[in-house]
Amino acid sequence: MNAHRGSAVLSSATLKVQPTATGLSENNRLRLFSGSANVPLAQEVARYLGMDLGPMIRKRFADGELYIQIQESIRGCDVYLIQPCCRPVNDNLMELLIMIDACRRASARQVTAVLPYYGYARADRKTAGRESITAKLVANLMTEAGANRILAMDLHSAQIQGYFDIPLDHVYGSPVLLDYLASKQLPDLVVVSPDVGGVARARAFAKKLNDAPLAIIDKRRQAHNVAEVLNVIGDVKDKTAVLVDDIIDTGGTIAAGAKLLREEGARQVYACATHAVFSPPAIERLSSGVFEEVIVTNTIPIAESDRFPQLVVLSVANLLGETIWRIHEDSSVSSMFR
């Protein structure tokens, strides 16, 4: 694999992902459209599938309202709408809802919302009185807008799948990350969960890396986006530590974890995450020198101003494209991750 720091990399996603979509452009029942949130990723998915993105008009009225019109007939078609709910979250979510409604009213046979990143997912349960469960609210909004199916990548918690009363296919960015890490042949590897809640994710990750040992960072969160790191459970001395998480937002948790691992004697520290939210001051924390590499995927677009030497961005386009093709052909999706 050709990997370049600070720039996007098209990954083959070799783990059980095969290019079965040959000749798809001849299938006139499949349509692929992209919202404005991550057009480059949607274009890569379209190339994998051997087709073009469907034409669509998107504009704003003077008061900020969005207008969307599909520019080709989709009557009786299976439509896939690619739109991560990343920053600006409210605009991108509303754009997706309008796209779904437009396709439903255009008599599409089935509308699938493809969410490389599911916004509002972190409020997935009530932890205090008088709170909203926004992960469920967003699920209701997409269902009521007219989505027939959801394709989501690396949900913040697996329970979100149960918030939908329509089919949901949950795929993972880990094959792309694992493929890259395996190519580096890192010595004395230990996989580290940045908190207790991520242990299951880290354990599954470690199993795929030849049953690498597991360590856990004991952490207490005092407020949103504020974390206090206490200690490491497990042996990391003279080892190559790989911190695994689903999201890097402000980078506070993972950067503090990396500093602690260094203090505990880790020889090298790598960070892996599917979703690079990168809210300030994430860039300053991640580029401070505590990481050899920060490895993420392109589910969320990363501005050139937010790139730094240690950053490695891997593409999930082939994985998403293969999943779309399998859904369209009524084939197994879970077999891609066995």
Side-chain angles (χ1 to χ4, degrees), residues 257-329:
K259 290 177 183 175
L260 182 61
L261 291 172
R262 293 282 192 183
E263 293 170 4
E264 293 292 322
R267 185 188 306 122
Q268 294 180 314
V269 181
Y270 290 78
C272 282
T274 303
H275 308 301
V277 176
F278 287 0
S279 301
I283 305 306
E284 291 79 2
R285 289 169 170 170
L286 298 174
S287 61
S288 62
V290 293
F291 296 104
E292 265 64 40
E293 290 182 354
V294 177
I295 308 161
V296 298
T297 75
N298 62 343
T299 57
I300 296 173
I302 302 174
E304 286 299 324
S305 60
D306 288 340
R307 295 177 184 266
F308 50 94
Q310 297 88 354
L311 181 66
V312 176
V313 185
L314 306 176
S315 179
V316 294
N318 289 5
L319 195 150
L320 284 174
E322 180 68 17
T323 305
I324 289 171
W325 173 243
R326 290 185 181 217
I327 293 172
H328 184 65
E329 289 292 294

Side-chain angles (χ1 to χ4, degrees), residues 18 45 124 144-145 167 170-171 184 232 278 293 311 325 331-332:
Q18 302 296 329
V45 173
D124 56 7
E144 289 301 314
H170 187 205
V171 298
K184 294 185 72 67
V232 176
F278 287 0
E293 290 182 354
L311 181 66
W325 173 243
S331 299
S332 172

Side-chain angles (χ1 to χ4, degrees), residues 164-201:
F164 288 88
D165 294 323
I166 56 178
L168 184 147
D169 290 288
H170 187 205
V171 298
Y172 306 90
S174 55
V176 177
L177 300 171
L178 288 163
D179 189 32
Y180 176 77
L181 285 172
S183 72
K184 294 185 72 67
Q185 298 182 333
L186 299 172
D188 299 319
L189 198 67
V190 57
V191 175
V192 183
S193 173
D195 53 36
V196 175
V199 170
R201 182 185 303 108

Side-chain angles (χ1 to χ4, degrees), residues 11-327:
S11 169
S12 60
T14 54
L15 299 183
K16 300 292 182 81
V17 179
Q18 302 296 329
T20 58
T22 305
L24 182 60
S25 58
E26 298 175 2
N27 189 329
N28 60 9
R29 292 186 65 88
L30 177 60
R31 293 289 189 275
L32 192 67
F33 292 89
S34 173
S36 62
N38 197 345
V39 176
L41 173 60
Q43 290 172 335
E44 287 184 38
V45 173
R47 281 197 296 271
Y48 176 84
L49 292 170
M51 59 189 299
D52 295 322
L53 292 175
M56 183 176 68
I57 290 177
R58 178 190 181 278
K59 62 183 180 181
R60 285 185 180 274
F61 292 106
D63 62 355
E65 290 182 3
L66 283 167
Y67 172 84
I68 289 174
Q69 183 187 31
I70 307 299
Q71 289 288 285
E72 65 180 7
S73 174
I74 55 173
R75 186 180 298 273
C77 294
D78 294 334
V79 178
Y80 293 81
L81 306 173
I82 301 177
Q83 176 81 334
C85 294
C86 52
R87 189 186 303 114
V89 181
N90 295 336
D91 284 359
N92 288 331
L93 174 58
M94 193 65 201
E95 181 180 353
L96 175 61
L97 297 176
I98 296 172
M99 289 167 62
I100 294 171
D101 185 69
C103 291
R104 182 177 65 85
R105 295 179 187 279
S107 299
R109 188 177 75 91
Q110 180 169 277
V111 180
T112 301
V114 181
L115 294 154
Y117 174 66
Y118 187 98
Y120 284 107
R122 281 171 284 188
D124 56 7
R125 64 193 184 281
K126 288 185 70 173
T127 57
R130 301 172 297 281
E131 284 185 338
S132 171
I133 304 177
T134 55
K136 171 60 175 170
L137 173 63
V138 170
N140 289 344
L141 289 171
M142 285 189 282
T143 303
E144 289 301 314
N148 302 106
R149 177 183 292 271
I150 303 295
L151 169 55
M153 175 167 281
D154 270 329
L155 293 169
H156 186 59
S157 60
Q159 70 196 45
I160 294 174
Q161 298 174 74
Y163 296 169
F164 288 88
D165 294 323
I166 56 178
L168 184 147
D169 290 288
H170 187 205
V171 298
Y172 306 90
S174 55
V176 177
L177 300 171
L178 288 163
D179 189 32
Y180 176 77
L181 285 172
S183 72
K184 294 185 72 67
Q185 298 182 333
L186 299 172
D188 299 319
L189 198 67
V190 57
V191 175
V192 183
S193 173
D195 53 36
V196 175
V199 170
R201 182 185 303 108
R203 184 183 293 117
F205 206 87
K207 185 177 180 181
K208 295 289 186 179
L209 289 172
N210 298 319
D211 279 326
L214 184 68
I216 304 167
I217 294 178
D218 180 24
K219 179 197 73 175
R220 294 180 185 176
R221 185 177 295 277
Q222 297 176 325
H224 294 299
N225 298 130
V226 177
E228 179 186 359
V229 175
L230 299 179
N231 54 66
V232 176
I233 303 171
D235 181 22
V236 298
K237 186 175 177 59
D238 296 325
K239 295 183 181 295
T240 300
V242 179
L243 276 159
V244 178
D245 212 343
D246 61 328
I247 297 171
I248 299 178
D249 189 358
T250 62
T253 296
I254 207 160
K259 290 177 183 175
L260 182 61
L261 291 172
R262 293 282 192 183
E263 293 170 4
E264 293 292 322
R267 185 188 306 122
Q268 294 180 314
V269 181
Y270 290 78
C272 282
T274 303
H275 308 301
V277 176
F278 287 0
S279 301
I283 305 306
E284 291 79 2
R285 289 169 170 170
L286 298 174
S287 61
S288 62
V290 293
F291 296 104
E292 265 64 40
E293 290 182 354
V294 177
I295 308 161
V296 298
T297 75
N298 62 343
T299 57
I300 296 173
I302 302 174
E304 286 299 324
S305 60
D306 288 340
R307 295 177 184 266
F308 50 94
Q310 297 88 354
L311 181 66
V312 176
V313 185
L314 306 176
S315 179
V316 294
N318 289 5
L319 195 150
L320 284 174
E322 180 68 17
T323 305
I324 289 171
W325 173 243
R326 290 185 181 217
I327 293 172

